[in-house]
Amino acid sequence: MDSREEAIYNRSLAAMALVGFLSFLLLSAYRKPLDFLPFYGAIAFLTVVFVGYFFTGWILANSDKFLLLLSSFLAQLGLIMLCRINPELFKRQVIFFAIGVAFFILVSFFTKYLLRLELAPFFYWVATAALLILPLLFGVEKGGAKNWLVFDGFTFQPSELAKITFAFYLAGALKNGRITSLPRMATEILAVVGLLALSKDLGGAMLFYFTALIVIFVATSRADILAVGGGLSAILGVLGYYLFDHVKVRIEAWLNPWQDVPGRGYQIAQSLFAIAEGGYFGTGLGLGRPDFIPAVATDFIFSAFAEEFGFLGAAAVVLMYFLLVYRGIRIALRLQKNFDILLAVGHTVMFGMQIFTIIGGVIKLIPVTGVTLPFMSYGGSSMVMSFASLGVLNGLWQRALEDEDDDEA
Amino acid sequence: MTRLKRNVRLVFIMFCGLFLSLLGYLTYFQVYERQKLIESSYNRRLWEQEETVTRGTIYDAKGRVLAKTVEENGAKKRVYPEGEAFGPIIGYSNKKLGRANLEQALNGELLGISQQDPMMVLRQKVLGVSKGNDVYLTIDSELQNKAYQLFRGRRGALVALDPNTGAVLALVSSPGYDPDFIEQMWESLSKDENSPLLNRAVQGLYPPGSTFKIVTLAAALESIPDIESRTYETPGHVEVNGRVIRDYEGFRPGNYDIKRAFSLSSNSVFVKVGLEVGKERLIDKAIDFGFNDKISFELPVAASRFPRFSMIGDDVELAEASIGQGKILTTPFQMAVVASAVANGGRIIKPYIVQKVVTPLGEVKNFSNPSVLKEAIDVVTANKIREYMVDVVEHGTGRAAGIKGIKVAGKTGSAENPHGKPHAWFVGFAPADNPKIAVAVVVENAGSGGTNAAPIARDVIRYFLMNGK
């Protein structure tokens, strides 16, 4: 590897370690009596980062290391907030992070070597549908959406894994650059979206729908499908507004949260108050009031972060997510085979849309839909599957580099 | 490049757009929405602040306490030592009734939550400061009390400004109320026919009557070149399209030049002048003086209304408008601004009531930088009007405002209205050659301005020039 490039990576890693140590030290000192939990947590976290980073470099030499660096930095910012909000969640999130990094390496490896066996797209569709039906049959409701499975006190959100299988399905079905049977494809996609809507996971339904639309456009260049799909989403939105009470509540809270602050506008209003309090520079770590924000550890963690780190911190986070999306696009552009390109695009779009949906939601640019902020929100499924998603991208990147080497040879 | 890759690039451009919109909206939010949300009554941070922070003290210009929070048996209580004259201006901060007037308008400062400087905020947080900011007003509480007493409970209002800086020296609305007893008195106060809860000085809208002739005069001096050498012959009334507008009783028919007509407040002459000036120029001049525009001020000021072009249908309405009757409505605050503009060589200076804010750590935020809003009239015209206004007090309808040894400039008004006797008006300033105070007084349904409003203005001016400064 280029030594200049390596120096940049190392400097990024050092900056991240510095931010982590300072923040966690501050949190240790802030708790009275002195609490070493944040400090130990930080050591555990940074150990995972360094081990993961060097291990990746060792067994997968051509990795896109920025994927791991950026996602770990974001996870670290999330952990800092979690440690401050609820130390119990923080401890578990550190473990989720470690599992996530392991998945990143594993999935990179699988994608690099085993992806040559391409399964039929129908198989991926069945897997996706099965993952979404399971919670409807056996699941429990959490935060208004019935999309959780529980085994022995261990909860799992299958829709997070479905994101990955769905991206595989789309890439497989569209790899020839055209749609074999439009009615069939439309039925399959709408069935998946319908299952998500049934479990009241509106954010998920939106994500899957738009991801499918964009990947279809990329594969076929058909603007007409994009237009019809866009129109259809508007119709579905209006229908949803009148048919489902929870959709109506969300949209009304978005249009005018101040009409009913104690009621339907409560969540979004508290989120906006927090961001307003932060101002440009933030109140400072530990000095905000995340306890006023509902669902602060999951969906609304960005608001709590914006309160304590201010506009500058929030903008930095948005930019870091943007860089991740940029890396995804960059990988897609280096690939040769249609399937690979569409797979990279599918994952990147799913990831990017999710970030836009939740950040846009908590700042009231668009209506709030309950999706997590990848890497920062508390939650094992989200953390592990987000890393797995990056693992796919990293595996594809290595294949791109290998193919280039083959071409040259 | 394959079509596939071109499409991937399009996707990237879409993401650039989406993420830019996130950053753009966050920026917009910081710039335009933020302050509103911080001070929103729904914001729980505010309630918390109310509980833990001791509300700051409000002082007058000389450091006398107007409102402060004291501990009484472990409970916080807001007290208002200065009594009735201050109710309509300071307002109240009460758990049950909420907040009003300056207590409401300055809430952010008094709780210390509208701090902009992040370092200051951080220092206070680290040092554990739990006190809001103290606010110093430009009001002179002795002058305020004195002026309030002069109304003897009659309905009316007085505004006194420092014409050089725009500082509000007194802002009286009568009858007032004592904010200390707001909770016990709420029932009777809110039902009282004299509406003591209304701040007449900034919210009361009255026809200005003859005090508006200052504006008509300004328009005439600027647009009719030989106006000062003309004389007008009048039989004591004038007929416009069949409507007869009369001069006041005791006005002698004869020949008058414009200065004398102003001094004696001749309606018949000013109707003629107004018709010659024309509605366009009269409207423009009224707007130059601040009519039809919200004055930005710590307390909400009702916008004074001068009829717009399309609303002055015929000469009768123009005739009425030129003597301050008909559809014109103004606040005492606006008329004080007019007087202070004349006093100040024609420039309108932004009025303000908060002199400075002092944080618990001793930082001082100064607000007393005079800022010129606009030029209503040029200096030459302003000086002529000043001379005319001095004549009003020395030889005309405003003699009751005269003070021995001090040159007072003024204009009386007796505004016809549907509620009974005319509203008595007086606007003016003193000393005419070096103005220190500009006042506007209105006493509702009291009769002639010369006999009922001018003496109040005189006493306030005299009191201020003897004791103030």
Side-chain angles (χ1 to χ4, degrees):
Chain A
M1 189 168 46
D2 191 339
S3 67
R4 236 182 54 226
E5 217 172 296
E6 179 147 8
I8 293 174
Y9 288 143
N10 290 343
R11 233 174 295 151
S12 312
L13 204 58
M16 175 174 143
L18 188 68
V19 170
F21 261 108
L22 282 179
S23 305
F24 285 112
L25 269 179
L26 203 61
L27 283 176
S28 283
Y30 184 67
R31 291 244 169 76
K32 283 161 193 157
L34 203 62
D35 183 354
F36 285 104
L37 170 78
F39 191 68
Y40 296 142
I43 290 178
F45 168 80
L46 288 170
T47 311
V48 174
V49 174
F50 278 86
V51 169
Y53 180 78
F54 289 110
F55 191 69
T56 315
W58 176 50
I59 64 158
L60 298 162
N62 284 329
S63 289
D64 183 349
K65 291 190 177 146
F66 259 121
L67 291 179
L68 190 60
L69 279 178
L70 283 168
S71 53
S72 301
F73 206 150
L74 287 163
Q76 171 173 274
L77 297 177
L79 281 167
I80 290 167
M81 286 317 291
L82 279 178
C83 180
R84 182 234 173 298
I85 293 164
N86 183 338
E88 262 326 291
L89 298 185
F90 165 73
K91 277 193 248 170
R92 296 172 65 178
Q93 183 86 336
V94 173
I95 297 168
F96 295 145
F97 173 76
I99 302 174
V101 172
F103 261 72
F104 174 77
I105 297 168
L106 268 176
V107 174
S108 301
F109 199 77
F110 272 103
T111 312
K112 183 177 176 186
Y113 293 108
L114 301 179
L115 209 64
R116 307 282 183 194
L117 330 157
E118 284 165 23
L119 293 170
F122 186 68
F123 166 80
Y124 288 114
W125 182 79
V126 171
T128 309
L131 283 168
L132 296 177
I133 288 175
L134 278 175
L136 278 176
L137 298 178
F138 311 106
V140 292
E141 204 171 304
K142 241 187 184 183
K146 193 175 181 184
N147 52 5
W148 293 84
L149 282 180
V150 180
F151 313 103
D152 299 329
F154 172 77
T155 57
F156 174 64
Q157 199 177 2
S159 63
E160 291 290 342
L161 180 55
K163 280 177 192 160
I164 295 179
T165 56
F166 189 64
F168 273 95
Y169 157 72
L170 288 174
L174 293 162
K175 67 178 172 191
N176 296 324
R178 62 192 164 77
I179 299 173
T180 333
S181 157
L182 186 60
R184 179 177 163 186
M185 180 129 198
T187 316
E188 287 171 345
I189 291 170
L190 287 177
V192 166
V193 173
L195 284 173
L196 283 160
L198 270 181
S199 65
K200 292 193 183 171
D201 183 358
L202 292 174
M206 243 174 69
L207 277 183
F208 278 66
Y209 185 79
F210 284 113
T211 304
L213 215 54
I214 292 170
V215 175
I216 289 174
F217 171 75
V218 170
T220 62
S221 304
R222 280 181 60 177
D224 54 334
I225 294 187
L226 201 60
V228 171
L232 186 64
S233 74
I235 295 171
L236 288 176
V238 174
L239 268 180
Y241 179 83
Y242 288 107
L243 289 180
F244 302 109
D245 220 30
H246 57 284
V247 180
K248 197 171 177 170
V249 169
R250 291 262 165 94
I251 292 182
E252 276 173 1
W254 173 58
L255 289 176
N256 192 358
W258 314 115
Q259 221 159 39
D260 183 14
V261 173
R264 34 186 73 172
Y266 187 75
Q267 278 198 329
I268 184 69
Q270 298 309 322
S271 162
L272 294 178
F273 288 146
I275 300 171
E277 186 72 18
Y280 288 101
F281 301 96
T283 58
L285 182 59
L287 298 173
R289 297 305 302 256
D291 48 322
F292 289 166
I293 313 169
V296 65
T298 53
D299 297 6
F300 285 87
I301 195 158
F302 184 80
S303 320
F305 184 81
E307 177 172 7
E308 300 201 339
F309 288 80
F311 168 80
L312 292 177
V317 163
V318 171
L319 286 176
M320 273 197 274
Y321 279 116
F322 178 71
L323 283 178
L324 270 177
V325 170
Y326 162 73
R327 292 309 273 200
I329 296 286
R330 179 169 172 266
I331 289 168
L333 288 174
R334 282 288 274 274
L335 289 160
Q336 302 298 329
K337 285 169 66 186
N338 281 4
F339 177 80
D340 296 354
I341 296 174
L342 292 176
L343 190 57
V345 170
H347 277 101
T348 308
V349 169
M350 186 72 92
F351 178 78
M353 291 296 280
Q354 182 166 352
I355 288 149
F356 176 76
T357 311
I358 186 60
I359 297 186
V362 302
I363 67 176
K364 204 177 84 74
L365 180 61
I366 56 174
V368 181
T369 46
V371 295
T372 56
L373 184 57
F375 304 115
M376 284 181 78
S377 287
Y378 171 75
S381 308
S382 164
M383 175 74 93
V384 171
M385 288 307 146
S386 301
F387 268 116
S389 206
L390 288 191
V392 172
L393 287 175
N394 189 32
L396 288 171
W397 171 248
Q398 289 169 39
R399 271 171 69 170
L401 294 182
E402 257 175 31
D403 288 350
E404 281 167 18
D405 287 347
D406 289 350
D407 288 351
E408 278 163 28
Chain B
M1 189 171 49
T2 64
R3 272 179 24 196
L4 204 57
K5 298 244 164 125
R6 185 205 65 184
N7 292 344
V8 174
R9 277 167 198 258
L10 285 179
V11 170
F12 182 62
I13 291 170
M14 176 196 79
F15 274 117
C16 290
L18 289 179
F19 278 74
L20 266 179
S21 73
L22 287 180
L23 290 178
Y25 189 79
L26 270 174
T27 313
Y28 160 82
F29 185 86
Q30 289 301 327
V31 176
Y32 294 103
E33 302 271 327
R34 177 169 182 240
Q35 203 54 36
K36 209 166 60 200
L37 288 185
I38 289 181
E39 290 171 20
S40 158
S41 56
Y42 288 119
N43 194 338
R44 281 172 66 188
R45 288 165 185 78
L46 204 70
W47 310 345
E48 292 268 311
Q49 208 103 346
E50 285 270 29
E51 295 297 316
T52 55
V53 168
T54 305
R55 202 174 171 81
T57 305
I58 304 178
Y59 294 98
D60 84 340
K62 292 178 179 161
R64 284 175 289 240
V65 173
L66 303 180
K68 66 175 175 186
T69 296
V70 293
E71 295 262 348
E72 218 170 65
N73 309 328
K76 284 184 187 134
K77 192 175 170 241
R78 194 76 172 156
V79 294
Y80 302 90
E82 290 285 339
E84 272 194 8
F86 287 84
I89 159 171
I90 301 292
Y92 47 84
S93 172
N94 182 287
K95 262 200 187 122
K96 211 148 116 203
L97 302 170
R99 291 180 285 266
N101 299 324
L102 285 176
E103 286 274 38
Q104 160 71 12
L106 303 175
N107 193 43
E109 292 292 359
L110 290 168
L111 289 179
I113 51 175
S114 56
Q115 237 95 279
Q116 298 290 343
D117 179 3
M119 291 320 286
M120 211 190 277
V121 177
L122 192 65
R123 258 163 66 201
Q124 293 196 7
K125 279 214 160 131
V126 171
L127 297 175
V129 172
S130 62
K131 200 174 172 317
N133 301 333
D134 292 340
V135 176
Y136 287 78
L137 303 183
T138 55
I139 296 284
D140 177 335
S141 65
E142 282 177 356
L143 186 71
Q144 172 91 4
N145 274 321
K146 168 81 182 167
Y148 180 75
Q149 282 154 19
L150 290 169
F151 280 85
R152 298 191 316 270
R154 287 174 295 174
R155 280 171 289 127
L158 176 144
V159 177
L161 301 175
D162 179 337
N164 304 303
T165 63
V168 176
L169 304 169
L171 193 79
V172 173
S173 175
S174 171
Y177 61 90
D178 187 341
D180 268 338
F181 300 105
I182 186 76
E183 212 173 314
Q184 298 92 306
M185 303 271 291
W186 182 254
E187 276 293 310
S188 62
L189 284 174
S190 52
K191 284 184 187 142
D192 192 328
E193 280 180 349
N194 289 332
S195 3
L197 294 170
L198 172 75
N199 186 332
R200 292 177 155 80
V202 290
Q203 287 293 326
L205 285 167
Y206 305 92
S210 298
T211 57
F212 189 77
K213 284 177 186 154
I214 297 173
V215 178
T216 312
L217 175 66
L221 286 172
E222 286 184 350
S223 60
I224 307 172
D226 65 338
I227 182 115
E228 287 176 281
S229 53
R230 288 197 202 171
T231 53
Y232 293 84
E233 191 187 350
T234 173
H237 61 85
V238 64
E239 194 184 315
V240 184
N241 289 359
R243 165 124 153 74
V244 178
I245 295 172
R246 296 182 187 287
D247 285 313
Y248 68 88
E249 261 174 74
F251 181 83
R252 261 174 280 160
N255 281 314
Y256 291 92
D257 64 4
I258 182 91
K259 185 172 181 182
R260 196 73 192 127
F262 185 77
S263 258
L264 296 174
S265 202
S266 165
N267 288 339
S268 53
V269 173
F270 266 80
V271 163
K272 284 183 197 160
V273 170
L275 290 177
E276 191 177 346
V277 167
K279 65 175 170 176
E280 234 163 293
R281 281 194 290 237
L282 194 59
I283 291 173
D284 285 350
K285 203 32 65 186
I287 289 173
D288 285 347
F289 272 105
F291 280 81
N292 291 346
D293 199 7
K294 275 221 178 292
I295 305 178
S296 101
F297 184 61
E298 284 87 345
L299 290 170
V301 181
S304 295
R305 292 174 214 152
F306 189 84
R308 286 169 202 280
F309 194 77
S310 59
M311 284 162 65
I312 303 184
D314 54 14
D315 281 354
V316 176
E317 288 180 351
L318 177 57
E320 286 179 335
S322 27
I323 55 169
Q325 294 288 161
K327 291 175 181 160
I328 312 183
L329 288 173
T330 182
T331 57
F333 197 76
Q334 167 66 39
M335 290 317 290
V337 168
V338 169
S340 115
V342 175
N344 201 24
R347 289 174 306 161
I348 293 186
I349 296 191
K350 187 185 174 314
Y352 66 94
I353 198 166
V354 175
Q355 185 185 68
K356 62 180 179 183
V357 168
V358 181
T359 71
L361 296 179
E363 283 99 339
V364 178
K365 292 189 271 180
N366 230 314
F367 291 99
S368 55
N369 303 316
S371 63
V372 178
L373 289 180
K374 58 180 171 182
E375 195 167 273
I377 41 175
D378 60 49
V379 183
V380 179
T381 313
N383 287 342
K384 273 183 202 158
I385 298 175
R386 177 205 311 253
E387 192 191 307
Y388 283 31
M389 285 171 73
V390 169
D391 199 57
V392 169
V393 177
E394 286 179 352
H395 311 291
T397 55
R399 283 189 301 271
I403 302 169
K404 220 174 155 190
I406 296 167
K407 217 190 224 180
V408 178
K411 180 74 193 83
T412 58
S414 311
E416 305 289 337
N417 66 84
H419 308 292
K421 286 209 290 182
H423 296 321
W425 273 99
F426 184 87
V427 307
F429 54 88
D433 298 324
N434 177 23
K436 295 262 186 272
I437 179 171
V439 289
V441 183
V442 65
V443 189
E444 288 180 24
N445 304 115
S448 117
T451 44
N452 298 290
I456 295 181
R458 173 198 62 208
D459 289 354
V460 166
I461 291 171
R462 184 165 52 197
Y463 187 87
F464 178 74
L465 294 178
M466 301 296 168
N467 301 289
K469 295 278 155 180

